[in-house]
Amino acid sequence: MFRNCSLLVLFAAIIKAVNAVTFIVPNAAGAGGYKYAPLDPAPVGISFEFFAFPSYFTNVSSTNQCLANWKDLTGVWPPIRIGGTTQDRAQYDPSTSAFVVYTVANAADAPSTLTFGPSFMTLAANYQGSVVVGLNRGKNNIANTISAAKVAVSQMSNLLAIELGNEPEYYASAGHPITSGGWSPTTDAASQNNWAVSIGSAVDRMPIIQAGNSNDASGSPLTWGAAELIATQNTTVKQYVKTYAHHNYPGGTVTSLMSHSGISTNLHKFDGDIAAALRQGKPYVFGETNSVSGGGAASVSPTFGAALWTMDYVLRTTYSNISRTYFHHGTVGNCQYCFWGRYSMGAPYYGGYAATAFLAKGSYLTALDDGKTNYAAYVSFDASRAPLRALLYNSDYFSGSGTRSSQAFVLEGITGNSVRAKRLTAASAMSRQDQGQLPTFGGQAFVDGDCTITGTEMYETATVAGGQATFTLKASEALVVYLQ
Ligand SMILES: *[C@@H]1O[C@H](CO)[C@@H](O)[C@H](O)[C@H]1NC(C)=O
Ligand SMILES: *[C@@H]1O[C@H](CO)[C@@H](O)[C@H](O)[C@H]1NC(C)=O
Ligand SMILES: *[C@@H]1O[C@H](CO)[C@@H](O)[C@H](O)[C@H]1NC(C)=O
């Protein structure tokens, strides 16, 4: 009886060892035949819907603290972008003292038209990180956009770039005046290029334009994309372009969204555009992104599975040479994918936090896996190219019922006798903080309503023997391993 039992245990241990996924940590950035991405000081950014930006910064207590928590990790404030559909509904009004002026029938609605005053730019200027401001092209009022751009440039020492229009592929269906003579990728590109030169020369700054800003990812090469746009640009236009940007909302179910192979496949659509931008010596960014378009899906976007998506997605975008990824935040109080709101934290904030903790103060990133399975492993490196941290991700879906499986990850090539790690976990992939199931990272959570960190910071320790350590991750969990 006992004998059989221990045989079973032994058998289980063998199965587990056989099924372990093994990764070799390179001893320096550049080594081992892997691909390496250079790291921006803060690759994880936040996008704020144009009309809602003042509300986030004046009337939502969590905003400053949620951003400050990441600054505490990286040493720099996260980059932000202000824009979205309502940037093409907004007109500058130099005479208003208000940040924004609009009326809506219901507080959950976005305005169909609005104005903003110079104080909008002053508020943006107060932010201590870099800011991209999205201005209107749809209304075809270039004089008004030039006036707004001049205020942005004169007020904002933190201004990184200006967008001229948001998701222009939808302009025709939205009935925007600029489409009156017909609208296609070609006419949009000509319009973008003329506006880039007009606005750039009016504010007398180059490079200043974040170009592109489409969301549609159909076609190969993309029908509305950086490669398509670059092919239409002469040297003068290119001198004004600071960055090329695209938007992305992968959508799907929690299971498909958080799947590591799904994330990798989704991002390969952008490889051609990223390469095209880098060939021009310009960064490529995701100017606006989140889990599911239109503010998110109630059954998907607020879950811990979406937090794991956020984490893995932003690491894969960064690994793909997307310099910065701005996660979109829409109408306060009507936003399923938001990382925080007035009253509650969204689980995805934890994914952004774990990714930021892993990348903080790093100079290079590599992925050790090929993106074809559910199991991911990344390594960040410091400025002297030494391994800094590893991040392991088990993207097997755990619904919360039945047995939670686990997966062993073996890391080889580690130095020292032991390593510390912080775990990103929750009761299941369906856990939601607003339903009382708080995720934790290293044992800590974020407080509803103010985003302060709570709980005792907890590291787990793994033994390193022969340069090798084994980590066990339950389905729907991630682990940040501190290699220094
Ligand atoms: C701040 O939020 C509260 C609660 O939703 C709202 O009633 C109030 O109008 C907001 N104030 C401003 C200035 O947006
Ligand atoms: C380059 O393109 C811009 C925008 O279309 C145009 O205004 C400018 O005249 C062009 N310059 C040259 C030298 O062709
Ligand atoms: C990212 O760019 C670097 C050059 O900076 C290149 O070596 C690397 O292969 C690129 N990564 C990918 C995934 O293409």
Side-chain angles (χ1 to χ4, degrees):
M1 210 38 204
F2 277 120
R3 207 188 156 84
N4 283 347
C5 214
S6 54
L7 266 179
L8 261 179
V9 170
L10 182 66
F11 187 60
I14 289 169
I15 296 272
K16 192 173 163 183
V18 167
N19 289 339
V21 286
T22 299
F23 298 103
I24 301 167
V25 176
N27 62 7
Y34 297 106
K35 287 180 174 168
Y36 292 84
L39 287 177
D40 189 88
V44 192
I46 300 289
S47 166
F48 294 99
E49 182 61 43
F50 191 92
F51 85 95
F53 157 70
S55 185
Y56 273 100
F57 277 81
T58 60
N59 202 18
V60 178
S61 318
S62 291
T63 302
N64 189 63
Q65 188 62 47
C66 278
L67 296 165
N69 290 339
W70 292 359
K71 183 241 173 199
D72 289 346
L73 296 168
T74 62
V76 296
W77 288 85
I80 68 167
R81 172 262 188 176
I82 302 165
T85 307
T86 58
Q87 88 186 53
D88 282 304
R89 299 176 183 173
Q91 292 278 270
Y92 177 60
D93 175 2
S95 68
T96 182
S97 61
F99 300 123
V100 277
V101 180
Y102 62 84
T103 52
V104 285
N106 184 315
D109 295 343
S112 55
T113 183
L114 69 148
T115 58
F116 61 99
S119 60
F120 187 97
M121 301 304 176
T122 315
L123 183 64
N126 286 341
Y127 183 61
Q128 291 175 76
S130 75
V131 183
V132 173
V133 176
L135 298 177
N136 195 322
R137 186 161 51 99
K139 283 200 195 296
N140 203 16
N141 185 347
I142 197 164
N144 188 269
T145 296
I146 287 174
S147 303
K150 283 185 170 170
V151 180
V153 167
S154 67
Q155 296 284 306
M156 298 172 61
S157 60
N158 56 350
L159 181 69
L160 185 69
I162 291 171
E163 292 176 8
L164 300 172
N166 177 76
E167 300 178 0
E169 68 272 33
Y170 308 133
Y171 277 2
S173 57
H176 278 306
I178 201 158
T179 66
S180 63
W183 200 242
S184 68
T186 312
T187 49
D188 169 59
S191 157
Q192 290 216 22
N193 297 343
N194 287 330
W195 279 58
V197 174
S198 299
I199 278 87
S201 55
V203 300
D204 192 21
R205 187 169 295 188
M206 60 168 67
I208 186 66
I209 304 300
Q210 179 147 299
N213 310 302
S214 283
N215 178 58
D216 187 304
S218 61
S220 179
L222 299 189
T223 307
W224 300 82
E228 168 263 329
L229 182 58
I230 289 164
T232 69
Q233 296 182 325
N234 64 27
T235 314
T236 312
V237 173
K238 286 176 186 173
Q239 281 175 332
Y240 285 106
V241 176
K242 173 95 177 180
T243 42
Y244 290 93
H246 209 91
H247 298 180
N248 189 31
Y249 289 89
T253 61
V254 174
T255 320
S256 70
L257 184 72
M258 66 180 274
S259 151
H260 177 60
S261 59
I263 288 166
S264 175
T265 303
N266 172 249
L267 292 174
H268 279 309
K269 282 194 272 193
F270 302 95
D271 288 349
D273 271 12
I274 298 164
L278 296 187
R279 273 197 297 276
Q280 300 301 319
K282 315 275 187 188
Y284 184 92
V285 305
F286 271 168
E288 183 189 310
T289 191
N290 219 319
S291 52
V292 186
S293 63
S299 59
V300 176
S301 302
T303 67
F304 182 63
L308 293 167
W309 168 78
T310 302
M311 177 205 70
D312 190 36
Y313 174 75
V314 77
L315 296 182
R316 213 72 188 178
T317 59
T318 308
Y319 169 63
S320 305
N321 282 321
I322 296 177
S323 301
R324 289 177 295 282
T325 295
Y326 298 86
F327 288 91
H328 198 52
H329 285 61
T331 312
V332 178
N334 182 19
C335 185
Q336 300 292 346
Y337 52 50
C338 279
F339 289 8
W340 63 87
R342 194 170 274 125
Y343 307 112
S344 178
M345 292 300 298
Y349 181 76
Y350 291 77
Y353 187 91
T356 300
F358 164 68
L359 295 171
K361 301 187 165 125
S363 295
Y364 308 94
L365 171 71
T366 191
L368 305 180
D369 68 280
D370 61 7
K372 296 193 169 131
T373 73
N374 268 1
Y375 313 116
Y378 300 91
V379 181
S380 58
F381 299 82
D382 66 17
S384 69
R385 311 188 84 90
L388 186 57
R389 301 177 198 102
L391 185 143
L392 309 174
Y393 174 37
N394 177 354
S395 77
D396 287 343
Y397 171 73
F398 178 57
S399 69
S401 66
T403 308
R404 191 171 191 170
S405 62
S406 62
Q407 175 63 44
F409 286 67
V410 176
L411 287 182
E412 291 180 0
I414 327 184
T415 54
N417 299 319
S418 68
V419 283
R420 298 185 311 158
K422 277 189 176 183
R423 193 168 292 261
L424 177 64
T425 192
S428 80
M430 295 309 290
S431 295
R432 293 171 55 152
Q433 176 142 345
D434 64 339
Q435 294 180 353
Q437 292 189 306
L438 276 63
T440 53
F441 178 64
Q444 296 181 298
F446 299 92
V447 177
D448 287 334
D450 70 18
C451 206
T452 50
I453 198 157
T454 181
T456 308
E457 183 178 36
M458 267 174 23
Y459 287 93
E460 43 196 273
T461 304
T463 306
V464 179
Q468 185 172 309
T470 303
F471 307 89
T472 302
L473 278 79
K474 287 185 278 191
S476 310
E477 270 191 345
L479 193 70
V480 176
V481 182
Y482 293 77
L483 301 173
Q484 294 187 12

